[in-house]
Amino acid sequence: MQIIIASHSYMAEGIYDAAKMLSGSKNNVIVMKAYINSDNFETEFQQKMSEIPENEVVIVLTDLLGGSVNQVVMRYKGTHQMQIIAGINLYSVIKITQIDETKDIVEQLKNIVRQSEEQILYINDVIKNRKEKNSV
């Protein structure tokens, strides 16, 4: 299994650096920073994909649903055993790098996406709701 974290600019590098700090480095992660050294992310992505055996599961994490990085990745959906997650956050990166390859990868990904969505909260409302519960 290969994991590719791809983003505009340096987000992929930063989010993976944070994930490594919290859960350790993984040898199956490729970080791709789009549009830093070249305007042609598709060529860079195609090159990385050509280096990965076609029978390998490839999980690609992108920064923004519908963004140019995500659009390029989606063109390669039929290659390898590609699974694509858009709109990643630190929680999802940590959990995806800890996937158990002996279990159903797709089901694990779906669970991680659900759990990642629960990590995004408007904290002002959380605090307000707690205060309201405590005052009753």
Side-chain angles (χ1 to χ4, degrees):
M1 180 179 78
Q2 187 70 55
I3 300 168
I4 299 175
I5 305 171
S7 73
H8 297 84
S9 192
Y10 293 94
M11 180 187 169
E13 182 178 61
I15 203 165
Y16 183 55
D17 283 347
K20 288 189 302 188
M21 184 182 84
L22 296 170
S23 67
S25 182
K26 310 296 181 195
N27 62 4
N28 65 334
V29 176
I30 297 169
V31 172
M32 298 192 71
K33 303 172 285 194
Y35 311 114
I36 299 295
N37 298 320
S38 162
D39 286 340
N40 197 339
F41 173 70
E42 184 154 11
T43 300
E44 295 170 6
F45 188 74
Q46 185 177 35
Q47 175 61 39
K48 287 292 180 198
M49 292 303 296
S50 71
E51 297 168 7
I52 301 170
E54 289 197 27
N55 63 342
E56 191 162 351
V57 173
V58 177
I59 301 171
V60 185
L61 312 177
T62 68
D63 55 357
L64 185 65
L65 175 64
S68 59
V69 172
N70 185 249
Q71 289 178 36
V72 166
V73 170
M74 290 188 325
R75 290 186 199 120
Y76 292 83
K77 171 64 178 94
T79 66
H80 300 72
Q81 296 177 50
M82 187 178 291
Q83 307 298 316
I84 305 168
I85 308 292
I88 58 168
N89 59 24
L90 181 56
Y91 179 89
S92 62
V93 172
I94 291 169
K95 291 298 186 180
I96 289 169
T97 60
Q98 297 172 343
I99 280 182
D100 182 347
E101 293 184 56
T102 66
K103 296 182 179 173
D104 186 334
I105 291 174
V106 172
E107 194 57 39
Q108 289 177 80
L109 287 171
K110 289 178 181 182
N111 286 331
I112 291 167
V113 168
R114 279 190 293 272
Q115 294 164 358
S116 295
E117 290 170 343
E118 294 170 6
Q119 296 291 312
I120 301 173
L121 299 170
Y122 181 55
I123 296 299
N124 295 46
D125 283 347
V126 173
I127 293 169
K128 180 181 174 186
N129 292 338
R130 285 186 183 159
K131 285 181 181 177
E132 288 172 0
K133 285 182 181 181
N134 291 333
S135 66
V136 175

